[in-house]
Amino acid sequence: MVRVQEIPLNQIKRPLPRATDPNKVQTLMESIAEIGQQEPIDVLEVDGQYYGFSGCHRYEACQRLGKETVLARVRKAPRSVLKMHLA
């Protein structure tokens, strides 16, 4: 089951380092500041913890704008699915 909700940025763990394009982050910051976040990021919820593996540009844009939350598509998953993402 997938649900969309606002999640505090400080509760999302991002276990894999991602390189972001500064120009894309800046463009997203301008868009989010003007019209809000249009597309949620995807997170896994495993044992009550949130893990983000995509949406790194949107995540960083929200973070740089000083937002406390980010719109996220949340999918509950067992630890085995998390391990597959980390492999």
Side-chain angles (χ1 to χ4, degrees), residues 27-37 58 61-62 65 67:
T27 300
L28 281 166
M29 286 173 65
E30 293 166 7
S31 173
I32 291 168
E34 186 178 326
I35 62 173
Q37 184 186 344
R58 285 167 283 163
C62 288
L65 285 167
K67 299 210 169 274

Side-chain angles (χ1 to χ4, degrees), residues 14 18-20 25 41 53-61:
R14 301 199 55 91
R18 301 274 189 203
T20 55
V25 172
I41 67 169
F53 295 97
S54 66
C56 55
H57 289 91
R58 285 167 283 163
Y59 177 89
E60 187 172 328

Side-chain angles (χ1 to χ4, degrees), residues 2-77:
V2 176
R3 66 187 188 279
V4 176
Q5 69 184 72
E6 293 279 339
I7 296 179
L9 283 165
N10 64 4
Q11 289 185 14
I12 300 173
K13 297 178 184 195
R14 301 199 55 91
L16 301 177
R18 301 274 189 203
T20 55
D21 176 346
N23 293 327
K24 186 172 181 179
V25 172
Q26 183 61 42
T27 300
L28 281 166
M29 286 173 65
E30 293 166 7
S31 173
I32 291 168
E34 186 178 326
I35 62 173
Q37 184 186 344
Q38 299 299 297
E39 182 66 29
I41 67 169
D42 292 303
V43 298
L44 288 177
E45 181 183 354
V46 178
D47 299 331
Q49 299 286 317
Y50 298 111
Y51 296 88
F53 295 97
S54 66
C56 55
H57 289 91
R58 285 167 283 163
Y59 177 89
E60 187 172 328
C62 288
Q63 200 172 38
R64 286 191 188 180
L65 285 167
K67 299 210 169 274
E68 293 185 18
T69 62
V70 64
L71 187 63
R73 204 171 4 254
V74 181
R75 181 170 56 103
K76 278 194 165 206

